[in-house]
Amino acid sequence: MNIKNVNLETVCGITSRLPENTLPEIAFAGKSNVGKSSLINALLCRKSLARTSSQPGKTQTINFYNVNDVLYLVDLPGYGYAKVAQEIREKWGKLIERYLHGSKQLKAVFLLIDIRHEPSENDRRMYEWIVWNGYDPIIIATKLDKIKRSQIQKQLKILRTGLNVKPGTRILPFSALTKQGREEIWAVMEEFLDENPEKARS
């Protein structure tokens, strides 16, 4: 997709009312240090639209990015950050669940997992939770540049096995550093915009 304009249109906190958008929404979930902000910046060809931080747990809201007035990229709060109080983590969980249940425009959920490691218990729970909420997560295996090319297939198999993914689940390797995988991710997202394909390709 040719990115012409991007706008952080809505920021929803724990007590906020979710927006009633009319454009398709694509959501991104992932552990606090998995590179979610870097992915969103790479997808949108921006350097610092989504704020990256050396301090995990920075994203504490649901952020809606309007892209070309065609769709929203939705950045969900990161999970699994140990230094955040349990009470806050539970509120974030309720906020995400309220969004998954309440959005009328949510078309797909991408789940980010670090390709270097076996999925954590939090990763497995998040995958199962998204499935339980009625979506088939598309996995983005981040930090691709951190492993050797010869290791890729082995690590992807570890992710499939560790998450116990449903047959046919897509796993897309991605590097925020080299942008490898960016076009493949966009191609999958555009499949969900086929209600107006000409506009989606603009």
Side-chain angles (χ1 to χ4, degrees):
M1 178 178 287
N2 180 20
I3 309 297
K4 297 177 181 178
N5 56 77
V6 179
N7 177 40
L8 175 55
E9 188 170 288
T10 310
V11 176
C12 288
I14 292 169
T15 60
S16 301
R17 181 177 178 180
L18 293 169
E20 296 182 3
N21 293 323
T22 58
L23 299 175
E25 298 170 359
I26 308 289
F28 294 84
K31 214 158 38 176
S32 300
N33 59 351
V34 76
K36 190 153 49 66
S37 295
S38 297
L39 167 69
I40 290 173
N41 286 331
L43 290 175
L44 299 179
C45 299
R46 301 294 191 271
K47 288 186 177 180
S48 57
L49 184 67
R51 289 179 295 176
T52 59
S53 174
S54 58
Q55 178 184 354
K58 190 72 174 178
T59 303
Q60 302 180 14
T61 53
I62 299 180
N63 299 332
F64 293 78
Y65 296 93
N66 183 321
V67 184
N68 290 355
D69 290 323
V70 171
L71 80 157
Y72 289 96
L73 297 194
V74 183
D75 185 6
L76 301 177
Y79 60 85
Y81 182 44
K83 291 186 179 180
V84 176
Q86 177 67 23
E87 179 185 358
I88 300 297
R89 289 205 300 271
E90 289 176 358
K91 287 181 178 179
W92 288 353
K94 290 177 181 177
L95 174 62
I96 296 172
E97 187 170 28
R98 183 157 58 92
Y99 170 67
L100 294 178
H101 279 303
S103 173
K104 297 178 182 178
Q105 296 298 329
L106 180 58
K107 305 300 181 184
V109 180
F110 286 79
L111 177 61
L112 281 64
I113 308 286
D114 191 328
I115 196 171
R116 300 174 296 177
H117 308 300
E118 184 176 348
S120 67
E121 180 62 26
N122 280 325
D123 290 329
R124 289 190 289 272
R125 286 180 180 175
M126 192 66 180
Y127 175 81
E128 293 169 358
W129 192 41
I130 294 170
V131 171
W132 184 80
N133 275 284
Y135 296 91
D136 292 327
I138 300 155
I139 310 301
I140 299 179
T142 63
K143 305 183 187 290
L144 178 62
D145 54 281
K146 302 292 185 182
I147 65 172
K148 297 178 181 177
R149 185 183 296 268
S150 60
Q151 296 175 302
I152 295 175
Q153 292 306 315
K154 174 187 174 184
Q155 294 305 118
L156 292 180
K157 185 176 180 180
I158 288 173
L159 294 190
R160 286 187 184 278
T161 303
L163 292 173
N164 192 25
V165 298
K166 297 170 67 174
T169 297
R170 285 182 280 195
I171 301 183
L172 308 173
F174 172 77
S175 166
L177 182 65
T178 67
K179 307 300 187 290
Q180 184 176 344
R182 179 185 182 275
E183 296 306 315
E184 289 80 0
I185 294 169
W186 264 115
V188 173
M189 287 197 291
E190 289 181 356
E191 293 175 11
F192 297 97
L193 306 181
D194 58 8
E195 294 174 6
N196 194 345
E198 294 304 318
K199 191 173 183 182
R201 293 193 200 96
S202 63

